[in-house]
Amino acid sequence: MNLFRIDASIRREGSVTRALADTAQAGWQSRHPEGTVTERDLGVEPLPATAWREAALAMGGTGTESSAQRQAVGLAAALVDELEQADALLLAIPIYNFGVPQHVKAWVDLVYTDPRMRPRATPLLADKPALLLLARGGTYGEGSPRHGWDHSTPWLRRIFEDVWGLDLRLNAVELTLAETNPAMESLRGKAAAALELGLALARSQGEELSPQPAQEQVA
Ligand SMILES: Cc1cc2nc3c(=O)[nH]c(=O)nc-3n(C[C@H](O)[C@H](O)[C@H](O)COP(=O)(O)O)c2cc1C
């Protein structure tokens, strides 16, 4: 069994998404002690920003690609290999500037250029179990002043669930900026409780990150 893990926080220390992913990974490993873990750290080692343009221009493969285009096509293939070879996925992604991190968008775009990801009846990654771990500095729930401002989660779900067909589970921890933002001081207790809950959930979600047993069909 292989677990593929994406990290996207720009920081190594104090990262909530990395803590959630560490905890979920430990849960998965407790159930799969022989399992391997493959990691791609988009936050610390982003993909080259020019790769998508080169790979997109080479789509369709005319045989006259430049060396930069061939390199980008090879990188896209390697990214899709990582996804294809995984039995389960951990996707640890913070919100930045009310949206998806640019380095995650670059990864998704590049993955898309590989011929294996073209639309088909059963997508390449259909039903693969995946855990999306999210951190938000603020809060976006119904009734909050910024309800509707989180443009990251809906887009990620559109891609991972609706387009790639992953069997997606979610875990979002909010108010992560309360600890350092004086304006959010009154929310620190709530933030600590949210983090504690998120970590406990991540452990059990990691333990259960396996394909769902097929439901018995009764005619
Ligand atoms: C440049 C930058 C922009 C951010 N923008 C937002 C934002 O738009 N909304 C929000 O809720 N939090 C925002 N945050 C806070 C992060 O989402 C929060 O700190 C989160 O915990 C980061 O993930 P990490 O803990 O894994 O590093 C931003 C943080 C940074 C550094």
Short mmCIF file of all heavy atoms in Angstrom, two decimals, residues 82-109:
data_model
loop_
_atom_site.label_atom_id
_atom_site.label_comp_id
_atom_site.label_asym_id
_atom_site.label_seq_id
_atom_site.Cartn_x
_atom_site.Cartn_y
_atom_site.Cartn_z
N GLU A 82 2.60 9.64 -9.65
CA GLU A 82 2.48 9.66 -8.17
C GLU A 82 1.04 9.43 -7.75
O GLU A 82 0.77 8.70 -6.79
CB GLU A 82 2.97 11.02 -7.63
CG GLU A 82 4.46 11.20 -7.71
CD GLU A 82 4.92 12.62 -7.37
OE1 GLU A 82 4.09 13.56 -7.36
OE2 GLU A 82 6.12 12.79 -7.11
N LEU A 83 0.13 10.06 -8.47
CA LEU A 83 -1.29 9.91 -8.13
C LEU A 83 -1.79 8.51 -8.47
O LEU A 83 -2.52 7.89 -7.69
CB LEU A 83 -2.12 10.96 -8.89
CG LEU A 83 -1.92 12.41 -8.44
CD1 LEU A 83 -2.48 13.37 -9.47
CD2 LEU A 83 -2.57 12.64 -7.08
N GLU A 84 -1.39 8.03 -9.64
CA GLU A 84 -1.87 6.73 -10.10
C GLU A 84 -1.37 5.60 -9.19
O GLU A 84 -2.09 4.64 -8.91
CB GLU A 84 -1.43 6.50 -11.55
CG GLU A 84 -2.12 5.32 -12.19
CD GLU A 84 -1.79 5.16 -13.67
OE1 GLU A 84 -0.82 5.79 -14.16
OE2 GLU A 84 -2.50 4.40 -14.34
N GLN A 85 -0.12 5.72 -8.74
CA GLN A 85 0.47 4.65 -7.96
C GLN A 85 0.00 4.65 -6.49
O GLN A 85 0.29 3.73 -5.74
CB GLN A 85 2.00 4.75 -8.01
CG GLN A 85 2.55 4.29 -9.36
CD GLN A 85 3.93 4.87 -9.67
OE1 GLN A 85 4.61 5.38 -8.78
NE2 GLN A 85 4.34 4.76 -10.92
N ALA A 86 -0.70 5.70 -6.09
CA ALA A 86 -1.14 5.79 -4.69
C ALA A 86 -2.40 4.97 -4.44
O ALA A 86 -3.28 4.90 -5.29
CB ALA A 86 -1.40 7.25 -4.35
N ASP A 87 -2.45 4.37 -3.27
CA ASP A 87 -3.69 3.70 -2.84
C ASP A 87 -4.57 4.67 -2.08
O ASP A 87 -5.78 4.45 -1.94
CB ASP A 87 -3.35 2.50 -1.96
CG ASP A 87 -2.57 1.46 -2.75
OD1 ASP A 87 -3.17 0.86 -3.66
OD2 ASP A 87 -1.36 1.29 -2.50
N ALA A 88 -3.97 5.72 -1.52
CA ALA A 88 -4.72 6.72 -0.76
C ALA A 88 -3.95 8.04 -0.84
O ALA A 88 -2.72 8.05 -1.00
CB ALA A 88 -4.88 6.28 0.69
N LEU A 89 -4.69 9.15 -0.71
CA LEU A 89 -4.07 10.47 -0.85
C LEU A 89 -4.33 11.33 0.38
O LEU A 89 -5.44 11.34 0.91
CB LEU A 89 -4.65 11.22 -2.06
CG LEU A 89 -4.70 10.51 -3.41
CD1 LEU A 89 -5.41 11.39 -4.43
CD2 LEU A 89 -3.29 10.22 -3.90
N LEU A 90 -3.30 12.06 0.78
CA LEU A 90 -3.45 13.11 1.81
C LEU A 90 -3.15 14.43 1.14
O LEU A 90 -2.07 14.60 0.55
CB LEU A 90 -2.42 12.92 2.93
CG LEU A 90 -2.64 11.91 4.03
CD1 LEU A 90 -1.53 12.03 5.07
CD2 LEU A 90 -3.99 12.12 4.68
N LEU A 91 -4.06 15.38 1.22
CA LEU A 91 -3.89 16.66 0.53
C LEU A 91 -4.01 17.77 1.58
O LEU A 91 -5.11 18.04 2.06
CB LEU A 91 -4.97 16.80 -0.54
CG LEU A 91 -5.03 15.63 -1.55
CD1 LEU A 91 -6.41 15.51 -2.19
CD2 LEU A 91 -3.96 15.76 -2.60
N ALA A 92 -2.89 18.35 1.99
CA ALA A 92 -2.88 19.30 3.10
C ALA A 92 -2.70 20.71 2.54
O ALA A 92 -1.60 21.08 2.09
CB ALA A 92 -1.74 18.94 4.06
N ILE A 93 -3.78 21.51 2.57
CA ILE A 93 -3.80 22.75 1.78
C ILE A 93 -4.40 23.92 2.56
O ILE A 93 -5.60 23.94 2.86
CB ILE A 93 -4.61 22.52 0.47
CG1 ILE A 93 -4.01 21.32 -0.30
CG2 ILE A 93 -4.62 23.78 -0.39
CD1 ILE A 93 -4.75 20.96 -1.58
N PRO A 94 -3.60 24.94 2.88
CA PRO A 94 -4.14 26.13 3.56
C PRO A 94 -4.85 27.06 2.57
O PRO A 94 -4.67 26.93 1.36
CB PRO A 94 -2.89 26.86 4.08
CG PRO A 94 -1.72 26.07 3.66
CD PRO A 94 -2.15 25.06 2.65
N ILE A 95 -5.61 28.00 3.11
CA ILE A 95 -6.17 29.07 2.27
C ILE A 95 -5.20 30.26 2.30
O ILE A 95 -4.67 30.61 3.36
CB ILE A 95 -7.58 29.50 2.75
CG1 ILE A 95 -8.23 30.48 1.77
CG2 ILE A 95 -7.57 30.08 4.14
CD1 ILE A 95 -9.70 30.80 2.08
N TYR A 96 -4.94 30.83 1.14
CA TYR A 96 -4.15 32.07 1.06
C TYR A 96 -4.93 33.08 0.22
O TYR A 96 -5.40 32.76 -0.89
CB TYR A 96 -2.80 31.83 0.39
CG TYR A 96 -1.83 30.98 1.21
CD1 TYR A 96 -1.12 29.94 0.62
CD2 TYR A 96 -1.61 31.22 2.56
CE1 TYR A 96 -0.22 29.17 1.35
CE2 TYR A 96 -0.72 30.45 3.30
CZ TYR A 96 -0.04 29.43 2.69
OH TYR A 96 0.85 28.66 3.43
N ASN A 97 -5.06 34.29 0.74
CA ASN A 97 -5.71 35.38 -0.01
C ASN A 97 -7.07 34.96 -0.58
O ASN A 97 -7.36 35.18 -1.76
CB ASN A 97 -4.77 35.89 -1.12
CG ASN A 97 -3.47 36.42 -0.52
OD1 ASN A 97 -3.47 36.97 0.59
ND2 ASN A 97 -2.38 36.24 -1.22
N PHE A 98 -7.82 34.31 0.27
CA PHE A 98 -9.20 33.89 -0.03
C PHE A 98 -9.28 32.87 -1.17
O PHE A 98 -10.34 32.63 -1.73
CB PHE A 98 -10.11 35.10 -0.33
CG PHE A 98 -10.06 36.13 0.78
CD1 PHE A 98 -9.42 37.35 0.58
CD2 PHE A 98 -10.59 35.84 2.02
CE1 PHE A 98 -9.33 38.28 1.61
CE2 PHE A 98 -10.50 36.77 3.05
CZ PHE A 98 -9.87 37.98 2.85
N GLY A 99 -8.17 32.26 -1.49
CA GLY A 99 -8.19 31.32 -2.60
C GLY A 99 -7.24 30.16 -2.39
O GLY A 99 -6.66 29.98 -1.31
N VAL A 100 -7.10 29.37 -3.44
CA VAL A 100 -6.23 28.21 -3.41
C VAL A 100 -4.78 28.69 -3.58
O VAL A 100 -4.54 29.66 -4.30
CB VAL A 100 -6.67 27.24 -4.54
CG1 VAL A 100 -6.42 27.81 -5.90
CG2 VAL A 100 -6.05 25.89 -4.39
N PRO A 101 -3.81 28.09 -2.89
CA PRO A 101 -2.42 28.52 -3.08
C PRO A 101 -2.02 28.40 -4.54
O PRO A 101 -2.37 27.43 -5.21
CB PRO A 101 -1.62 27.54 -2.21
CG PRO A 101 -2.60 26.98 -1.23
CD PRO A 101 -3.93 26.99 -1.91
N GLN A 102 -1.26 29.38 -5.02
CA GLN A 102 -0.89 29.37 -6.44
C GLN A 102 -0.10 28.12 -6.80
O GLN A 102 -0.23 27.59 -7.92
CB GLN A 102 -0.08 30.62 -6.79
CG GLN A 102 1.16 30.81 -5.95
CD GLN A 102 2.20 31.68 -6.66
OE1 GLN A 102 2.52 31.43 -7.81
NE2 GLN A 102 2.72 32.69 -5.98
N HIS A 103 0.68 27.58 -5.86
CA HIS A 103 1.49 26.40 -6.20
C HIS A 103 0.63 25.14 -6.28
O HIS A 103 1.02 24.17 -6.90
CB HIS A 103 2.67 26.24 -5.24
CG HIS A 103 2.36 26.55 -3.81
ND1 HIS A 103 2.44 27.82 -3.28
CD2 HIS A 103 1.97 25.76 -2.80
CE1 HIS A 103 2.09 27.79 -2.02
NE2 HIS A 103 1.80 26.55 -1.69
N VAL A 104 -0.54 25.16 -5.63
CA VAL A 104 -1.48 24.02 -5.78
C VAL A 104 -2.19 24.13 -7.13
O VAL A 104 -2.36 23.14 -7.84
CB VAL A 104 -2.49 23.99 -4.62
CG1 VAL A 104 -3.57 22.94 -4.86
CG2 VAL A 104 -1.77 23.72 -3.31
N LYS A 105 -2.56 25.35 -7.49
CA LYS A 105 -3.17 25.56 -8.82
C LYS A 105 -2.20 25.12 -9.91
O LYS A 105 -2.60 24.46 -10.89
CB LYS A 105 -3.56 27.04 -8.97
CG LYS A 105 -4.20 27.42 -10.31
CD LYS A 105 -5.60 26.86 -10.44
CE LYS A 105 -6.42 27.53 -11.55
NZ LYS A 105 -5.87 27.46 -12.88
N ALA A 106 -0.92 25.47 -9.75
CA ALA A 106 0.09 25.09 -10.76
C ALA A 106 0.20 23.57 -10.87
O ALA A 106 0.32 23.02 -11.96
CB ALA A 106 1.44 25.70 -10.39
N TRP A 107 0.12 22.89 -9.73
CA TRP A 107 0.19 21.42 -9.71
C TRP A 107 -1.03 20.81 -10.41
O TRP A 107 -0.90 19.95 -11.28
CB TRP A 107 0.29 20.95 -8.25
CG TRP A 107 0.19 19.47 -8.04
CD1 TRP A 107 1.12 18.52 -8.37
CD2 TRP A 107 -0.91 18.77 -7.43
NE1 TRP A 107 0.66 17.27 -8.00
CE2 TRP A 107 -0.58 17.40 -7.42
CE3 TRP A 107 -2.13 19.17 -6.88
CZ2 TRP A 107 -1.44 16.43 -6.89
CZ3 TRP A 107 -2.98 18.21 -6.36
CH2 TRP A 107 -2.63 16.85 -6.36
N VAL A 108 -2.21 21.30 -10.05
CA VAL A 108 -3.45 20.78 -10.68
C VAL A 108 -3.41 21.02 -12.20
O VAL A 108 -3.69 20.12 -12.99
CB VAL A 108 -4.70 21.43 -10.06
CG1 VAL A 108 -5.95 21.11 -10.87
CG2 VAL A 108 -4.89 20.97 -8.61
N ASP A 109 -3.01 22.22 -12.59
CA ASP A 109 -2.98 22.55 -14.02
C ASP A 109 -2.03 21.62 -14.77
O ASP A 109 -2.32 21.16 -15.87
CB ASP A 109 -2.56 24.01 -14.23
CG ASP A 109 -3.68 24.99 -13.90
OD1 ASP A 109 -4.84 24.56 -13.75
OD2 ASP A 109 -3.39 26.19 -13.78
#
